[in-house]
Amino acid sequence: MKTLTPSGIELEFISLASFDIDKNAEGSALQGPNSILMKMLNILHQAIQANQDSDFVQAMLNNFLQNHYDIIVQDDELSALLSEIRSVIKSKFTHVESLVASNLCMT
């Protein structure tokens, strides 16, 4: 993803929701109409937890949400995962905020 242009990344995100998935396909790796979106949110979630490329991941999450917010709010599983991502981001920010506050007190 890092090798793509910003418009290329946006195009890839837009195309995630355009798959026609057979809900009755047995043994398929793609179960449900939003499974690809779920996988992408899981990838972003893992990257956030691992503190990998924070700025890049935040930008990708922002773009992802702008393109798929209407689908996410209608799907309980996606909404739950997004709530979990939000809490992880909040805890990471709180940790950084406390480090900054601690350093400001030392100077």
Side-chain angles (χ1 to χ4, degrees):
M1 293 288 268
K2 285 184 175 182
T3 59
L4 295 173
T5 63
S7 59
I9 292 173
E10 184 170 16
L11 182 62
E12 290 295 327
F13 281 148
I14 290 170
S15 69
L16 288 176
S18 65
F19 289 100
D20 184 21
I21 299 171
D22 182 11
K23 294 181 184 178
N24 299 324
E26 289 186 33
S28 174
L30 302 173
Q31 299 291 327
N34 297 326
S35 63
I36 294 175
L37 297 178
M38 179 68 80
K39 287 180 183 186
M40 188 64 208
L41 273 179
N42 278 321
I43 290 169
L44 294 172
H45 185 229
Q46 290 172 1
I48 290 167
Q49 285 179 323
N51 290 329
Q52 296 174 340
D53 301 318
S54 298
D55 293 338
F56 181 70
V57 173
Q58 286 289 333
M60 286 182 26
L61 181 61
N62 181 39
N63 190 298
F64 183 84
L65 293 174
Q66 286 177 355
N67 286 300
H68 301 296
Y69 70 91
D70 54 336
I71 297 170
I72 293 170
V73 297
Q74 294 175 2
D75 188 304
D76 292 336
E77 290 180 17
L78 291 173
S79 295
L81 181 56
L82 190 59
S83 292
E84 187 176 327
I85 290 172
R86 181 179 178 265
S87 67
V88 170
I89 290 172
K90 189 174 182 177
S91 70
K92 300 272 183 196
F93 178 76
T94 303
H95 176 69
V96 170
E97 191 176 44
S98 68
L99 289 174
V100 169
S102 175
N103 285 334
L104 287 174
C105 291
M106 293 182 151
T107 59

